[in-house]
PDB file of all heavy atoms in Angstrom:
ATOM      1  N   VAL K 203    -129.149 -16.961 159.859  1.00 97.00           N
ATOM      2  CA  VAL K 203    -128.707 -18.265 160.345  1.00 97.00           C
ATOM      3  C   VAL K 203    -129.783 -19.037 161.085  1.00 97.00           C
ATOM      4  O   VAL K 203    -130.559 -18.483 161.961  1.00 97.00           O
ATOM      5  CB  VAL K 203    -127.628 -17.864 161.375  1.00 97.00           C
ATOM      6  CG1 VAL K 203    -127.027 -19.295 161.929  1.00 97.00           C
ATOM      7  CG2 VAL K 203    -126.535 -17.166 160.777  1.00 97.00           C
ATOM      8  N   THR K 204    -130.051 -20.279 160.548  1.00 97.00           N
ATOM      9  CA  THR K 204    -131.123 -21.170 161.217  1.00 97.00           C
ATOM     10  C   THR K 204    -130.510 -21.869 162.315  1.00 97.00           C
ATOM     11  O   THR K 204    -129.197 -21.995 162.467  1.00 97.00           O
ATOM     12  CB  THR K 204    -131.593 -22.065 160.163  1.00 97.00           C
ATOM     13  OG1 THR K 204    -130.516 -23.004 159.788  1.00 97.00           O
ATOM     14  CG2 THR K 204    -132.068 -21.409 158.830  1.00 97.00           C
ATOM     15  N   VAL K 205    -131.270 -22.452 163.085  1.00 98.00           N
ATOM     16  CA  VAL K 205    -130.803 -23.358 164.226  1.00 98.00           C
ATOM     17  C   VAL K 205    -130.046 -24.455 163.654  1.00 98.00           C
ATOM     18  O   VAL K 205    -128.796 -24.803 164.082  1.00 98.00           O
ATOM     19  CB  VAL K 205    -131.923 -23.945 164.992  1.00 98.00           C
ATOM     20  CG1 VAL K 205    -131.535 -24.952 166.007  1.00 98.00           C
ATOM     21  CG2 VAL K 205    -132.782 -22.781 165.703  1.00 98.00           C
ATOM     22  N   GLU K 206    -130.423 -25.041 162.642  1.00 98.00           N
ATOM     23  CA  GLU K 206    -129.613 -26.235 161.976  1.00 98.00           C
ATOM     24  C   GLU K 206    -128.305 -25.787 161.595  1.00 98.00           C
ATOM     25  O   GLU K 206    -127.318 -26.586 161.744  1.00 98.00           O
ATOM     26  CB  GLU K 206    -130.548 -26.844 160.835  1.00 98.00           C
ATOM     27  CG  GLU K 206    -131.692 -27.576 161.196  1.00 98.00           C
ATOM     28  CD  GLU K 206    -132.990 -26.621 161.638  1.00 98.00           C
ATOM     29  OE1 GLU K 206    -132.861 -25.412 161.462  1.00 98.00           O
ATOM     30  OE2 GLU K 206    -133.860 -27.003 162.351  1.00 98.00           O
ATOM     31  N   GLN K 207    -128.256 -24.679 160.924  1.00 98.00           N
ATOM     32  CA  GLN K 207    -126.891 -24.091 160.524  1.00 98.00           C
ATOM     33  C   GLN K 207    -125.985 -23.894 161.638  1.00 98.00           C
ATOM     34  O   GLN K 207    -124.798 -24.236 161.595  1.00 98.00           O
ATOM     35  CB  GLN K 207    -127.063 -22.958 159.652  1.00 98.00           C
ATOM     36  CG  GLN K 207    -127.793 -23.097 158.113  1.00 98.00           C
ATOM     37  CD  GLN K 207    -128.020 -21.890 157.653  1.00 98.00           C
ATOM     38  OE1 GLN K 207    -128.404 -20.863 158.156  1.00 98.00           O
ATOM     39  NE2 GLN K 207    -128.048 -21.750 156.186  1.00 98.00           N
ATOM     40  N   ALA K 208    -126.526 -23.291 162.686  1.00 98.00           N
ATOM     41  CA  ALA K 208    -125.797 -23.006 163.895  1.00 98.00           C
ATOM     42  C   ALA K 208    -125.241 -24.233 164.518  1.00 98.00           C
ATOM     43  O   ALA K 208    -123.997 -24.498 164.870  1.00 98.00           O
ATOM     44  CB  ALA K 208    -126.523 -22.064 164.770  1.00 98.00           C
ATOM     45  N   GLU K 209    -126.133 -25.217 164.534  1.00 97.00           N
ATOM     46  CA  GLU K 209    -125.677 -26.528 165.283  1.00 97.00           C
ATOM     47  C   GLU K 209    -124.650 -27.173 164.431  1.00 97.00           C
ATOM     48  O   GLU K 209    -123.600 -27.722 165.013  1.00 97.00           O
ATOM     49  CB  GLU K 209    -126.879 -27.337 165.381  1.00 97.00           C
ATOM     50  CG  GLU K 209    -128.013 -26.891 166.541  1.00 97.00           C
ATOM     51  CD  GLU K 209    -129.142 -27.787 166.462  1.00 97.00           C
ATOM     52  OE1 GLU K 209    -129.516 -28.407 165.482  1.00 97.00           O
ATOM     53  OE2 GLU K 209    -129.735 -27.816 167.563  1.00 97.00           O
ATOM     54  N   SER K 210    -124.765 -27.270 163.111  1.00 98.00           N
ATOM     55  CA  SER K 210    -123.948 -27.863 162.345  1.00 98.00           C
ATOM     56  C   SER K 210    -122.564 -27.136 162.268  1.00 98.00           C
ATOM     57  O   SER K 210    -121.436 -27.861 162.400  1.00 98.00           O
ATOM     58  CB  SER K 210    -124.307 -27.762 160.824  1.00 98.00           C
ATOM     59  OG  SER K 210    -123.469 -28.413 159.979  1.00 98.00           O
ATOM     60  N   TYR K 211    -122.416 -25.821 162.414  1.00 97.00           N
ATOM     61  CA  TYR K 211    -121.228 -25.102 162.457  1.00 97.00           C
ATOM     62  C   TYR K 211    -120.504 -25.443 163.880  1.00 97.00           C
ATOM     63  O   TYR K 211    -119.252 -25.692 163.860  1.00 97.00           O
ATOM     64  CB  TYR K 211    -121.483 -23.710 162.313  1.00 97.00           C
ATOM     65  CG  TYR K 211    -120.261 -22.746 162.629  1.00 97.00           C
ATOM     66  CD1 TYR K 211    -119.214 -22.686 161.818  1.00 97.00           C
ATOM     67  CD2 TYR K 211    -120.063 -22.360 163.928  1.00 97.00           C
ATOM     68  CE1 TYR K 211    -117.972 -21.945 162.035  1.00 97.00           C
ATOM     69  CE2 TYR K 211    -118.922 -21.543 164.327  1.00 97.00           C
ATOM     70  CZ  TYR K 211    -117.929 -21.396 163.399  1.00 97.00           C
ATOM     71  OH  TYR K 211    -116.748 -20.704 163.726  1.00 97.00           O
ATOM     72  N   ILE K 212    -121.255 -25.424 164.890  1.00 97.00           N
ATOM     73  CA  ILE K 212    -120.669 -25.651 166.180  1.00 97.00           C
ATOM     74  C   ILE K 212    -120.054 -27.030 166.306  1.00 97.00           C
ATOM     75  O   ILE K 212    -118.967 -27.257 166.769  1.00 97.00           O
ATOM     76  CB  ILE K 212    -121.658 -25.285 167.203  1.00 97.00           C
ATOM     77  CG1 ILE K 212    -121.994 -23.797 167.356  1.00 97.00           C
ATOM     78  CG2 ILE K 212    -121.183 -25.887 168.685  1.00 97.00           C
ATOM     79  CD1 ILE K 212    -123.206 -23.535 168.337  1.00 97.00           C
ATOM     80  N   GLU K 213    -120.864 -28.128 165.783  1.00 97.00           N
ATOM     81  CA  GLU K 213    -120.311 -29.481 165.827  1.00 97.00           C
ATOM     82  C   GLU K 213    -119.112 -29.580 165.107  1.00 97.00           C
ATOM     83  O   GLU K 213    -118.082 -30.327 165.527  1.00 97.00           O
ATOM     84  CB  GLU K 213    -121.435 -30.374 165.381  1.00 97.00           C
ATOM     85  CG  GLU K 213    -122.655 -30.558 166.506  1.00 97.00           C
ATOM     86  CD  GLU K 213    -122.124 -30.916 167.847  1.00 97.00           C
ATOM     87  OE1 GLU K 213    -121.239 -31.826 167.964  1.00 97.00           O
ATOM     88  OE2 GLU K 213    -122.541 -30.286 168.858  1.00 97.00           O
ATOM     89  N   HIS K 214    -119.153 -29.059 163.926  1.00 97.00           N
ATOM     90  CA  HIS K 214    -117.893 -29.140 162.923  1.00 97.00           C
ATOM     91  C   HIS K 214    -116.737 -28.350 163.677  1.00 97.00           C
ATOM     92  O   HIS K 214    -115.541 -28.982 163.622  1.00 97.00           O
ATOM     93  CB  HIS K 214    -118.293 -28.491 161.593  1.00 97.00           C
ATOM     94  CG  HIS K 214    -117.094 -28.615 160.679  1.00 97.00           C
ATOM     95  ND1 HIS K 214    -116.302 -27.576 160.541  1.00 97.00           N
ATOM     96  CD2 HIS K 214    -116.686 -29.665 159.853  1.00 97.00           C
ATOM     97  CE1 HIS K 214    -115.343 -27.952 159.477  1.00 97.00           C
ATOM     98  NE2 HIS K 214    -115.667 -29.222 159.129  1.00 97.00           N
ATOM     99  N   ASN K 215    -117.030 -27.386 164.279  1.00 96.00           N
ATOM    100  CA  ASN K 215    -115.898 -26.543 164.902  1.00 96.00           C
ATOM    101  C   ASN K 215    -115.336 -27.340 166.084  1.00 96.00           C
ATOM    102  O   ASN K 215    -114.138 -27.325 166.285  1.00 96.00           O
ATOM    103  CB  ASN K 215    -116.360 -25.258 165.378  1.00 96.00           C
ATOM    104  CG  ASN K 215    -115.329 -24.183 165.728  1.00 96.00           C
ATOM    105  OD1 ASN K 215    -115.036 -23.858 166.826  1.00 96.00           O
ATOM    106  ND2 ASN K 215    -114.766 -23.769 164.581  1.00 96.00           N
ATOM    107  N   TYR K 216    -116.201 -27.955 166.823  1.00 96.00           N
ATOM    108  CA  TYR K 216    -115.716 -28.831 167.859  1.00 96.00           C
ATOM    109  C   TYR K 216    -114.725 -29.957 167.419  1.00 96.00           C
ATOM    110  O   TYR K 216    -113.859 -30.367 168.149  1.00 96.00           O
ATOM    111  CB  TYR K 216    -116.864 -29.445 168.614  1.00 96.00           C
ATOM    112  CG  TYR K 216    -117.717 -28.594 169.647  1.00 96.00           C
ATOM    113  CD1 TYR K 216    -118.958 -28.919 170.017  1.00 96.00           C
ATOM    114  CD2 TYR K 216    -117.057 -27.355 170.008  1.00 96.00           C
ATOM    115  CE1 TYR K 216    -119.667 -28.214 170.838  1.00 96.00           C
ATOM    116  CE2 TYR K 216    -117.892 -26.610 170.815  1.00 96.00           C
ATOM    117  CZ  TYR K 216    -119.075 -26.988 171.190  1.00 96.00           C
ATOM    118  OH  TYR K 216    -119.782 -26.274 172.135  1.00 96.00           O
TER     119      TYR K 216
END
Side-chain angles (χ1 to χ4, degrees):
V203 181
T204 66
V205 169
E206 292 73 19
Q207 288 172 329
E209 289 176 334
S210 177
Y211 169 79
I212 291 169
E213 288 305 315
H214 183 263
N215 198 252
Y216 282 163

